[in-house]
């Protein structure tokens, strides 16, 4: 297969996925799709209502993904969650804070928090310092987040985005404060750490389901179904390839 | 002389602000979606001239990224100054951070102080990060032990099996090779090369599909992390 053919095939796949996403979004607008229970997302929703009631703060850590790399998708999924959580908790005396390890991501996080703040139209002025850049390397980022978890009257932590093993330091810091953590990452080393260190980590593509489970809109639910359809296609292709190889046709 | 502070004027001014914000929101979406489509199509299809536009967009993105670093440093400064002013818990750490920020800026920006740069890097930054790595390894061991205490289900057994495989890989191999079943398993590399790699690829394929749909949501304008909706 030439690179031109492979490129065209990729483009067709993207176009088909975009079409499916659009059509399913329209469908789910009228007929919402029931989703299976993922307890971590239930806990996020519960945590958001809790912080408004008890006057504490929600902390969302978005990792240090560079927006020019594919790992930015996990941070963008995290931003969809920030938007929703920001709207729910902006009414509280202590609005949520986000911490990031990438300057471009920090700008987006600040803007998302501001948009969520304006959406609920509170009297309180928006504080840009609620979106914080804590360090430019993964470890300095972790070192900067740890005091925020300790000193900012945080009652719940959502850690979602691109991390390395340094995510273990954030979990440990939250554990010391006895504050619950809901965590998800796109990288395998971080997932391994989260599996050992947290009660209910979100594994693999569950990270990208955050929007659908926090009712960000029908497009988020549609994108889950598109993911499932594509996954079955990949499974069929893998099985088909293995079968053809066994039959000596490949 | 007209009065510019009455309620009617305030309403007009507020409506005007909302209209401008809406126009900016649409403009942002058009620019983001347009740039995204050009980069995406350029990635798949080698159309004449598309590569140049793609590279130009990337260069702009790098410049914006560079400016964002400056804004980020401003944010770091502002957060810690506010913390220091309010004398919040842990304000002393903010003072230390600001002090070293000024020192770093002085050393980086002053001619003749270049020889001090390696001292800053090798004498402070790297040792601190290495210490954090050491803390991390201890933290992970504690977390693993805690997990075994709190979870006594299949996942704990799986975890123990993983620990066994890791230990086998880092030096206990010669000892464990005397056990017949383990020796056959090690030679076939069933666990490390087939089961572990297969599982890892499965997770990565899931993540890649999630990345694709997240990107599509942004290209379709459903998610707009770049401002206002």
């Amino acid at each position: 297969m030439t690179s031109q053919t492979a490129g065209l095939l990729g483009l067709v796949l993207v176009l088909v996925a975009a079409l499916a996403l659009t059509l399913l979004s329209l469908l789910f607008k009228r007929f919402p799709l029931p989703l299976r229970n993922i307890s971590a997302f239930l806990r996020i929703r519960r945590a958001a209502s809790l912080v408004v009631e008890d006057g504490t703060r929600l902390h969302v850590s978005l990792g240090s993904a560079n927006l020019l790399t594919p790992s930015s998708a996990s941070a963008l999924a995290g931003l969809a969650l920030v938007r929703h959580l920001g709207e729910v908790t902006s009414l509280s005396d202590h609005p949520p804070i986000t911490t990031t390890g990438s300057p471009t991501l920090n700008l987006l996080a600040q803007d998302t928090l501001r948009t969520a703040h304006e959406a609920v139209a509170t009297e309180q002025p928006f504080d840009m310092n609620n979106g914080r850049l804590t360090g430019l390397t993964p470890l300095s980022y972790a070192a900067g987040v740890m005091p925020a978890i300790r000193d900012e009257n945080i009652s719940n932590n959502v850690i979602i985005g691109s991390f390395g093993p340094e995510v273990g330091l954030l979990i440990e810091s939250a554990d010391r404060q006895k504050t619950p953590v809901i965590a998800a990452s796109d990288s395998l080393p971080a997932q391994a750490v989260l599996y050992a260190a947290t009660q209910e980590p979100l594994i693999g593509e569950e990270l990208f389901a955050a929007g659908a489970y926090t009712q960000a809109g029908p497009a988020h639910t549609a994108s889950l179904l598109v993911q499932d359809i594509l996954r079955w296609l990949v499974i069929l292709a893998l099985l088909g390839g293995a079968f053809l190889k066994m039959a000596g046709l490949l | 002389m007209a009065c510019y502070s009455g309620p009617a004027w305030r309403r007009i001014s507020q409506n005007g602000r909302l209209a401008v914000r809406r126009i900016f929101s649409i403009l942002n979406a058009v620019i983001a979606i347009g740039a995204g489509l050009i980069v995406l199509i350029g990635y798949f299809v080698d159309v004449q001239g598309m590569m140049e536009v793609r590279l130009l967009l990337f260069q702009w993105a790098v410049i914006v990224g560079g400016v964002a670093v400056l804004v980020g440093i401003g944010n770091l400064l502002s957060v810690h100054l506010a913390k220091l002013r309010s004398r919040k818990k842990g304000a002393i750490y903010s003072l230390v951070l600001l002090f070293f920020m000024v020192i770093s800026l002085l050393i980086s920006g002053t001619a003749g102080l270049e020889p001090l740069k390696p001292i800053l890097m090798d004498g402070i930054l790297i040792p601190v990060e290495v210490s954090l790595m050491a803390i991390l390894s201890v933290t992970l061991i504690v977390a693993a032990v805690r997990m075994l205490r709190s979870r006594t289900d299949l996942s704990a057994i799986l975890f123990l099996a993983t620990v066994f495989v890791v230990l086998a890989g880092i030096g206990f191999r010669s000892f464990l090779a005397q056990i017949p079943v383990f020796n056959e398993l090690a030679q076939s590399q069933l666990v490390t090369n087939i089961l572990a790699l297969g599982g890892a690829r499965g997770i990565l394929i899931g993540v890649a599909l999630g990345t694709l749909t997240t990107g599509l949501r942004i290209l379709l304008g459903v998610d707009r992390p770049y401002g206002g909706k």
Side-chain angles (χ1 to χ4, degrees):
Chain A
M1 193 188 284
T2 62
S3 63
Q4 192 77 7
T5 321
L8 276 174
L9 267 176
L11 189 60
V12 168
L13 182 76
V14 171
L15 288 176
V16 169
L19 188 69
L21 185 61
T22 314
L23 293 177
L24 288 170
S25 300
L26 294 173
L27 184 72
F28 294 150
K29 208 177 232 177
R30 294 193 63 181
F31 310 103
L33 181 78
L35 301 168
R36 75 182 164 95
N37 273 339
I38 298 181
S39 50
F41 289 124
L42 281 175
R43 279 175 52 209
I44 291 180
R45 286 166 68 176
R46 218 174 294 143
S49 34
L50 197 74
V51 293
V52 179
E53 282 168 21
D54 66 6
T56 52
R57 217 187 260 274
L58 184 75
H59 165 234
V60 185
S61 199
L62 292 168
S64 33
N66 182 349
L67 285 184
L68 294 177
T69 62
S71 64
S72 62
S74 58
L76 293 171
L79 284 175
L81 188 64
V82 169
R83 172 69 201 263
H84 172 78
L85 294 174
E87 278 185 27
V88 177
T89 57
S90 282
L91 287 170
S92 145
D93 292 337
H94 301 282
I97 57 165
T98 60
T99 48
T100 58
S102 150
T104 42
L105 183 59
N106 190 51
L107 288 180
L108 292 188
Q110 284 178 331
D111 201 42
T112 306
L113 283 175
R114 187 183 54 83
T115 312
H117 180 87
E118 282 168 3
V120 289
T122 58
E123 294 288 311
Q124 228 175 317
F126 176 67
D127 183 3
M128 274 303 209
N129 285 347
N130 289 339
R132 298 173 187 180
L133 176 79
T134 59
L136 293 175
T137 63
L139 281 169
S140 66
Y141 161 66
V145 176
M146 286 155 71
I149 292 175
R150 193 191 56 217
D151 301 333
E152 298 284 346
N153 194 21
I154 304 287
S155 63
N156 279 281
N157 297 281
V158 179
I159 295 174
I160 184 167
S162 184
F163 299 90
E166 76 279 356
V167 75
L169 293 170
L170 309 190
I171 305 286
E172 171 63 16
S173 185
D175 264 358
R176 277 176 187 272
Q177 301 304 311
K178 296 189 171 47
T179 51
V181 178
I182 296 131
S185 176
D186 60 347
S187 89
L188 288 176
Q191 284 182 36
V193 171
L194 293 177
Y195 187 79
T198 60
Q199 284 295 319
E200 291 162 48
L202 295 163
I203 300 295
E205 73 278 7
E206 283 178 343
L207 154 76
F208 298 98
Y213 277 84
T214 48
Q215 293 162 342
H220 285 261
T221 319
S223 74
L224 277 191
L225 197 62
V226 172
Q227 268 181 61
D228 281 346
I229 294 168
L230 291 175
R231 187 183 302 112
W232 279 108
L233 287 177
V234 171
I235 290 169
L236 286 176
L238 287 173
L239 288 176
F243 181 75
L244 288 176
K245 187 125 188 175
M246 274 165 64
L249 297 170
L250 259 183
Chain B
M1 197 162 167
C3 172
Y4 293 112
S5 58
W9 177 256
R10 260 206 302 275
R11 202 166 48 244
I12 290 168
S13 143
Q14 200 173 5
N15 287 345
R17 265 206 308 271
L18 279 175
V20 170
R21 197 171 287 172
R22 199 166 296 156
I23 290 168
F24 267 114
S25 169
I26 294 168
L27 203 65
N28 283 343
V30 169
I31 292 170
I33 294 169
L37 282 175
I38 290 170
V39 173
L40 182 73
I41 294 170
Y43 186 76
F44 286 122
V45 191
D46 191 15
V47 185
Q48 188 75 32
M50 188 70 96
M51 184 58 92
E52 284 78 21
V53 180
R54 219 179 120 205
L55 279 176
L56 184 72
L57 286 173
F58 266 123
Q59 281 169 2
W60 286 356
V62 170
I63 294 167
V64 172
V67 176
V69 174
L70 293 178
V71 176
I73 290 168
N75 170 258
L76 193 67
L77 192 73
S78 158
V79 167
H80 287 278
L81 274 177
K83 211 169 166 181
L84 208 59
R85 266 201 303 267
S86 65
R87 293 184 185 178
K88 272 186 185 173
K89 199 167 103 186
I92 184 76
Y93 301 115
S94 297
L95 185 68
V96 174
L97 182 134
L98 292 172
F99 175 73
F100 279 100
M101 190 185 252
V102 172
I103 296 282
S104 304
L105 282 173
L106 274 177
I107 290 176
S108 307
T110 315
L113 291 179
E114 284 87 6
L116 292 175
K117 270 188 203 172
I119 298 174
L120 207 64
M121 200 62 162
D122 303 334
I124 300 175
L125 210 65
I126 292 175
V128 168
E129 294 216 347
V130 169
S131 315
L132 270 176
M133 283 301 281
I135 294 171
L136 179 62
S137 58
V138 176
T139 303
L140 290 181
I141 293 168
V142 173
V145 172
R146 207 182 292 156
M147 189 196 90
L148 283 177
R149 275 169 55 192
S150 62
R151 284 192 220 163
T152 45
D153 53 6
L154 189 69
S155 59
I157 299 168
L158 198 68
F159 180 76
L160 277 178
T162 313
V163 171
F164 184 74
V165 171
V166 171
L167 285 177
I170 59 169
F172 289 88
R173 197 168 179 157
S174 55
F175 168 70
L176 292 169
Q178 292 164 9
I179 307 166
V181 180
F182 178 80
N183 195 27
E184 281 158 26
L185 267 178
Q187 274 173 4
S188 68
Q189 295 189 323
L190 174 75
V191 179
T192 50
N193 274 9
I194 299 171
L195 294 180
L197 211 60
R201 280 184 185 163
I203 291 174
L204 288 177
I205 287 172
V207 170
L209 294 177
T211 303
L212 172 69
T213 52
T214 305
L216 281 176
R217 279 205 309 268
I218 287 168
L219 276 182
L220 293 173
V222 178
D223 284 355
R224 295 186 199 171
Y226 40 80
K229 192 190 169 186

